[in-house]
Amino acid sequence: MRAWIVAVAAVVAAPVALAQPKVTAEIGAPYIPDGLQLRLTEECRIESSGSAPDAHLRCTPGLGWRLHDAATGEVVYPVQGYLPRDLEWAFAGPGAVTFLAQRQVSIVRLPSGETTELGPGDIEQYRDAEGLPFKAVVWTLPRNAGQPTTVFLLRPDGTLSDSIDADMRRVDYTRGLGCREAAVLAAIGAENLPNSTWSKIVRLSAAEEGRNLCDTVGHDRLAGLGSDGSWRRLDPKSFKAIGSGSFATADDALKAQ
């Protein structure tokens, strides 16, 4: 019995040594601008039972993300510390990025690293949308019940628009439903904003009072007036033309199957 106890004690006291942090994931273009790279770094340690040679490298989530220069590997942001592992981002070109981490929104100017903290909020990115005057919609959540959300547009030059009037409470905050991009565009009335592709956009809304936009926006119909004077049906998620058909009037486009 005593020998068994000694053996167990030896296993419990197995040597553990810290190892260099390890980059376990890298993200580059087209998800972030050329020349930049996001790297996920994890904490590592070396474990051994004490009888060589059976050492193992164990890496566990613990540090987080950093933005690096893709060519030199130098850290761009943050110079000290890491961004949380649970991270979302929206770039406005190489000069500015909005981060969402632990439900907190911040805007970072690059390469200076100057940061503006917006507080609790959310973002929705529109990297490939057609003609929109922004790269992302950024909104802060009310701190008290009954207060409105504050909504900004992140422009391609990295600046924020003035706040716009939009009821983001009607947007479903659950990710992965496939309707969220369209719901945010409907909530901010993006069809009424200047568009570099469509000189006019008309929306036939299926919204119902009291219902979440994600329940109805899939039934919205949109039509855009192109530079050739014809109307096209538009995808409510991206404002891209659906199919190759063109129509003489907005009504014809909205009614098209």
Side-chain angles (χ1 to χ4, degrees), residues 157-200:
D157 63 359
T159 61
L160 281 180
S161 71
D162 294 333
S163 61
I164 62 175
D165 184 22
D167 185 5
M168 304 308 285
R169 293 173 298 179
R170 300 180 63 204
V171 175
D172 195 310
Y173 291 97
T174 304
R175 301 283 175 169
L177 293 182
C179 63
R180 186 181 149 98
E181 300 99 317
V184 170
L185 292 180
I188 68 172
E191 63 273 13
N192 301 316
L193 299 175
N195 191 289
S196 61
T197 300
W198 312 110
S199 59
K200 186 176 182 180

Side-chain angles (χ1 to χ4, degrees), residues 111-172:
S112 68
E114 178 187 353
T115 303
T116 302
E117 302 288 352
L118 297 182
D122 212 335
I123 61 175
E124 189 63 42
Q125 182 172 202
Y126 293 92
R127 183 164 51 91
D128 299 320
E130 191 72 50
L132 295 176
F134 54 86
K135 290 295 185 181
V137 179
V138 182
W139 65 97
T140 58
L141 303 178
R143 298 182 183 277
N144 299 308
Q147 289 183 333
T149 51
T150 304
V151 184
F152 304 95
L153 305 178
L154 180 65
R155 301 188 184 105
D157 63 359
T159 61
L160 281 180
S161 71
D162 294 333
S163 61
I164 62 175
D165 184 22
D167 185 5
M168 304 308 285
R169 293 173 298 179
R170 300 180 63 204
V171 175
D172 195 310

Side-chain angles (χ1 to χ4, degrees), residues 24-27 37-41 63-68 77-78 81-89 99:
T24 57
E26 297 178 346
I27 297 176
Q37 191 176 59
L38 275 168
R39 297 180 183 176
L40 177 64
T41 305
L63 294 179
W65 295 94
R66 274 179 168 173
L67 192 63
H68 292 254
Y77 182 83
Y82 293 83
L83 295 164
R85 182 182 174 90
D86 182 14
L87 181 70
E88 296 182 37
W89 60 87
F99 286 119

Side-chain angles (χ1 to χ4, degrees), residues 20-35:
Q20 288 293 323
K22 181 180 179 182
V23 174
T24 57
E26 297 178 346
I27 297 176
Y31 304 103
I32 64 175
D34 284 332

